[in-house]
Amino acid sequence: MLENFANLFSSSGLATIESGQLLMMLVGLTLIYLAIARKFEPLLLLPIGFGTLLINIPGAGMGGADGLLHYISVVGIKSGVFPLFIFMGVGAMTDFGPLLANPKTLLLGAAAQFGIFGTVIGAVGMSSLGWVDFSLKDAAAIGIIGGADGPTSIFIASQLSPSLLGPITVAAYSYMALVPLIQPPIMKALTTKAEREIKMEQLRTVSKREKIIFPIVVLFLVAMFLPSAAPLLGMFCFGNLMKESGVVNRLSDTAQNGLMNIITIMLGLGVGSQMSAEAFLKVETLGILALGLVAFCVGTGAGVLMAKLMNLFVKIPINPLIGSAGVSAVPMAARVSNKVGLEANHQNYLLMHAMGPNVAGVIGSAVAAGVMLSFFS
Amino acid sequence: MLENFANLFSSSGLATIESGQLLMMLVGLTLIYLAIARKFEPLLLLPIGFGTLLINIPGAGMGGADGLLHYISVVGIKSGVFPLFIFMGVGAMTDFGPLLANPKTLLLGAAAQFGIFGTVIGAVGMSSLGWVDFSLKDAAAIGIIGGADGPTSIFIASQLSPSLLGPITVAAYSYMALVPLIQPPIMKALTTKAEREIKMEQLRTVSKREKIIFPIVVLFLVAMFLPSAAPLLGMFCFGNLMKESGVVNRLSDTAQNGLMNIITIMLGLGVGSQMSAEAFLKVETLGILALGLVAFCVGTGAGVLMAKLMNLFVKIPINPLIGSAGVSAVPMAARVSNKVGLEANHQNYLLMHAMGPNVAGVIGSAVAAGVMLSFFS
Amino acid sequence: MLENFANLFSSSGLATIESGQLLMMLVGLTLIYLAIARKFEPLLLLPIGFGTLLINIPGAGMGGADGLLHYISVVGIKSGVFPLFIFMGVGAMTDFGPLLANPKTLLLGAAAQFGIFGTVIGAVGMSSLGWVDFSLKDAAAIGIIGGADGPTSIFIASQLSPSLLGPITVAAYSYMALVPLIQPPIMKALTTKAEREIKMEQLRTVSKREKIIFPIVVLFLVAMFLPSAAPLLGMFCFGNLMKESGVVNRLSDTAQNGLMNIITIMLGLGVGSQMSAEAFLKVETLGILALGLVAFCVGTGAGVLMAKLMNLFVKIPINPLIGSAGVSAVPMAARVSNKVGLEANHQNYLLMHAMGPNVAGVIGSAVAAGVMLSFFS
Amino acid sequence: MPELISGGITLMVMGMSTVFLFLALLVVMTRLLSWLLSKLPEAKAAADNSQNSASSEQQNMLEVAVVAAAVTKAHGR
Amino acid sequence: MPELISGGITLMVMGMSTVFLFLALLVVMTRLLSWLLSKLPEAKAAADNSQNSASSEQQNMLEVAVVAAAVTKAHGR
Amino acid sequence: MPELISGGITLMVMGMSTVFLFLALLVVMTRLLSWLLSKLPEAKAAADNSQNSASSEQQNMLEVAVVAAAVTKAHGR
Ligand code: NA
Ligand code: NA
Ligand code: NA
């Protein structure tokens, strides 16, 4: 019987835990702390943090061949299924009205994707210097952090660089939560007070029919020019069409709520299950965190500068502060534009104007993701 | 680098799309149009139409070995799992009260199934004439369109004739949406004004206990006489028992709403994924569409004539207009009976009376489906 | 054609049903009756009862290789996935406030687990006497019935003794429903009227922060000392943290409602699918039913006696009636404590005090389950 | 007659007769059920019971809440 | 220049140009869409229609209920 | 004593002692937790914070709506 006790103890955490697992538990606790106390993207970071705790319990085997986290990970993460359904739900929550009222703001969403590809260069540069060991696929997956769009990051990482899925996802959501801190200094540095005070005229009303047909137009362009973006943008447009059509409200409601919540729980746990000590505790993670921050900064700057460039050509000037919203991080980045705009002129409500580039940024990073998938296929 | 661009372009839709895929996209757009602008069964036809678009994007690979639509199709369509859960939800939404108050209307639901088997004869006839190439299994699956019951059609097609699943499902839902156009002329042609004016006496109140025990009686008969109908009718009765028992309201509510919506989204995409050009663009599809229309007409007529036949034997006459409701298409067909009845006599409310044959038609076509499964097993 | 009819009949239930299947259908009907008419844990017993009917329909093949119940069983029961998600939902519905206000009641929840291990001895005793044929694993799985916690029972039975899953689950839920009949006589027999009249002072208010950190403390202890309990307690703590954190209310709500309901339906059908005649109709089932009753009685008694023992050491006495709540069966057992307390002194509200040991019992039996998993691994 | 057509006819005859027999049997069973239940005296009470049952879980929770409130009040906080 | 860096640059050039071309095309298409729809006369009606459609299912159910109630009343119970 | 029974007894002894040790440890840890938290001054504020947090997402959306309304009004439509 003593032998049995000895076995029980020898399999317990106290006896077998490694410093790496202990450190990862601290990482998990940090994520949970940020989610609860600081409200950093809690819908994802709380489940990810808890998944990190669970996967690093020595001897629990929750990530092993018949462990729950393993099942979740195989069914929904490795297959890419979960991010696609999240994208459907996001589509069902998106209003393209502001974008349709002012389509040229799509170009701001395009410019902000420079954050993605600039980071790719940064990552291959780091790798060439020998600091870290990123392949070109890894670099691409890291770059997508700059898309400031969680499900796109998860989808691309799961397809191109599964071993980096954990740190990439954590970096993406963390920086999205930090947008209110990261963006304002860059926005102010790149604009004059006069530019920040530019008032934009009110957006025209967009008809229901335009909103219904728009997702089909997007899908058509994807089909014609970039089929590799079809899974992401297809599900996004499907969700949006369900919402705008107004004839399947019960489905659209489920896509936004019930189904979205179920998948979010699973997705969080599944991403958490990629946060093992071996996968996270290496110098590459530091590289990813550094590059992710760069990606957000470059994207923000590129959006603002693009707006200034456009002002050289258009009659009615646009406030360059809405350019930063092109990084996505919906709706946080648009609120930041609004806030910085109000600081310059407290009659200057930019929120609705910034929603255009904001959702354009979602399309833009999905297109960038499609280019990457096509590049490596 | 130019080479890379060339690769990107050569994989794009513009370069690779075939006329078949383009045509199928038009089919998908038509379904979406019917769903949104004409409200033709939008809960199914919108997702099916969108799935049709997605599956026909050249190079997107959404139906390929690791594509989302492929996963959905394997998990829920080929296995027959999705239609069974839909049937559970339908059961949880069905009220057998009118049927229990007037059980002889079950016979109307039986007669209307002649639409199913008459269509089988039509299909084998077409095939014998060499117009199309339907096997007997194909003919059976096509016949089930006449059951006017979506999940039953999908279930049978997935078991007996998977290659025809797309067109069969589209035909079934399209004609269900067209019931208000298809049925009235037939109903009027087969009845005299005097018959249409027959007033029916009010239905007795049905006790809670009768409603609770009824699904168990149905299941008992299935178990004893037609076990091959057990999956369909078993899940249907389970849903109904959850509802009527009143002790598991939270489960019944989920079966009708949350779960039903999730499965409907998946089912629609999954059916859409069967709508590839090879599967749809052939003369057999035209045959299916023609036969489906015949099936609805024959079923409608058989129900009406059965009611007239019954009137030769019963003391209190029944209005033959409720016979057409026996085709199912709940609750549309019952509303059509009510409307045509009101045209003849604007005091003549047939709705509740028509609900009896209407739900009887669901049981009837599930029984017919069971016979088919048993025949081919 | 006559041949075809003969085939149809020869495959029908009337021709092929065996007495065992008929008996099992009666068992299924009994469970449904208890669920509906007596409200015995209807959320589980209604689906289990209906699953029992379905699996025993001869020739329906719902448990066969491509039958719905087989799929459900493989995906959710054999993998242990469903009970873990139920546990997450239960965690999201649990309030640890009363336990945190009076932590020593955790010991009552520990004592009541004597019901589990006493029953193990009973089971191996029965087996040694040759009455039945239980292995040590079987005995352990049977013992868990005494944990009075449905998902824990299902999880352990699926891991240690899958062939006994059906009867063990039915026994667990049946006796949980019978707690108001089983416990009071034992509670009264083991206490004096003076003891039952003991008034307990009001519980202190527990801060939000204590409630947030508590599930993490539990998980930490599990990780350090009993990793084999990590799947069960991990998911439980995850659910509880989602609820208490207050930052992911939409996820917590889904875990308690939508997802919980979906999994409950599936779990019930899946457990029902284990109720085949071969698996249920044997003398071992009688043994399990007898031992399950013993388990509840012993657990109840142990909890009460532990409370009396603790009163020898603490300054402020505790009412021994709350000891019986340590068996779990949340919140039924706590309500029984309250009711018996009110009978002794109609000012004596024990409900909140009994909630402490009640939820402690959930932790206690999950710990016991962990010991078993570790013992046999 | 080609095999395919004879197969179709067989299927039709079998199918329609099974459908009619099954639903006719169901008519008989349903009538029997209604008649039997009308004979049972406790029908009313039972029906009432089951109507209430839906809210029994909520009542339980309500009971918990009421008692909790009572306790809290009794202790004056 | 190492292959890795040249790969990264290729990816950047391809990516950014595709993103800009795609979104610029989308600007054009969106303008075209808005212009086309503004030419179509029945725009208003259709929009109204589709707004109502959401509640059409409920209306149907309502209709059922109303008729049921009417019938019940007509028969005086 | 047969092996089966001795196995059962081993399981019981191990099981009950683990259960008691684990829950006793949890008693200690819980007390410790409560004591530690009662020492920390910012307890109150933090608790308040996290109660509000639930509605922060809604507030955000509300903010969007309010601003949108303000803009609309300002422009007189
Ligand atoms: Na973006
Ligand atoms: Na039918
Ligand atoms: Na317990």
Side-chain angles (χ1 to χ4, degrees), chain B residues 62-363:
Chain B
M62 290 190 75
D66 50 356
L68 177 64
L69 296 182
H70 174 71
Y71 293 136
I72 291 178
S73 172
V74 168
V75 168
I77 310 282
K78 287 187 181 140
S79 67
V81 164
F82 286 166
L84 293 180
F85 279 115
I86 297 277
F87 232 60
M88 176 177 78
V90 171
M93 294 194 287
T94 297
D95 178 6
F96 280 120
L99 183 65
L100 284 162
N102 195 5
K104 66 176 170 293
T105 57
L106 275 161
L107 297 179
L108 300 173
Q113 307 318 315
F114 196 77
I116 293 180
F117 294 102
T119 306
V120 172
I121 301 292
V124 296
M126 267 191 184
S127 208
S128 298
L129 291 171
W131 298 356
V132 289
D133 183 23
F134 293 140
S135 69
L136 191 53
K137 281 189 177 186
D138 294 337
I142 294 166
I144 280 287
I145 297 173
D149 191 274
T152 303
S153 291
I154 297 171
F155 186 72
I156 289 298
S158 73
Q159 305 298 308
L160 296 184
S161 182
S163 68
L164 302 181
L165 178 62
I168 285 176
T169 306
V170 166
Y173 280 102
S174 301
Y175 291 128
M176 280 162 66
L178 287 172
V179 150
L181 297 181
I182 295 172
Q183 290 196 321
I186 299 168
M187 293 158 74
K188 287 177 192 164
L190 294 178
T191 50
T192 65
K193 181 142 199 300
E195 284 171 334
R196 292 200 293 277
E197 282 176 345
I198 293 173
K199 270 196 126 177
M200 295 186 68
E201 68 182 50
Q202 206 213 346
L203 296 171
R204 72 171 176 89
T205 314
V206 173
S207 78
K208 195 82 191 151
R209 284 214 304 196
E210 284 175 88
K211 290 188 180 179
I212 292 174
I213 297 175
F214 182 73
I216 295 175
V217 169
V218 173
L219 187 73
F220 174 77
L221 288 184
V222 167
M224 290 301 107
F225 299 104
L226 197 64
S228 52
L232 276 173
L233 282 175
M235 293 307 280
F236 186 72
C237 291
F238 178 48
N240 191 249
L241 182 64
M242 285 201 286
K243 175 200 170 210
E244 298 295 355
S245 72
V247 293
V248 291
N249 290 346
R250 57 182 287 172
L251 301 187
S252 153
D253 179 62
T254 291
Q256 291 175 48
N257 296 296
L259 181 55
M260 184 91 160
N261 294 343
I262 293 172
I263 303 236
T264 301
I265 293 173
M266 306 280 181
L267 185 70
L269 289 176
V271 170
S273 78
Q274 310 299 309
M275 303 276 283
S276 61
E278 313 89 75
F280 197 86
L281 295 177
K282 44 187 187 182
V283 68
E284 275 74 16
T285 298
L286 290 180
I288 291 171
L289 289 173
L291 288 167
L293 181 57
V294 171
F296 270 70
C297 296
V298 172
T300 301
V304 173
L305 293 177
M306 182 70 189
K308 293 176 71 163
L309 179 67
M310 284 168 69
N311 275 346
L312 302 179
F313 300 95
V314 294
K315 279 168 295 181
I316 307 165
I318 57 184
N319 189 318
L321 291 177
I322 70 171
S324 61
V327 298
S328 314
V330 184
M332 193 89 80
R335 282 210 299 271
V336 169
S337 298
N338 189 57
K339 189 156 162 276
V340 179
L342 281 174
E343 283 172 18
N345 171 350
H346 51 87
Q347 289 292 311
N348 198 3
Y349 294 100
L350 293 174
L351 189 67
M352 293 317 285
H353 300 282
M355 289 308 294
N358 211 195
V359 297
V362 178
I363 299 178

Side-chain angles (χ1 to χ4, degrees), chain C residues 156-168:
Chain C
I156 290 298
S158 74
Q159 306 297 307
L160 297 183
S161 182
S163 67
L164 300 182
L165 177 62
I168 285 176

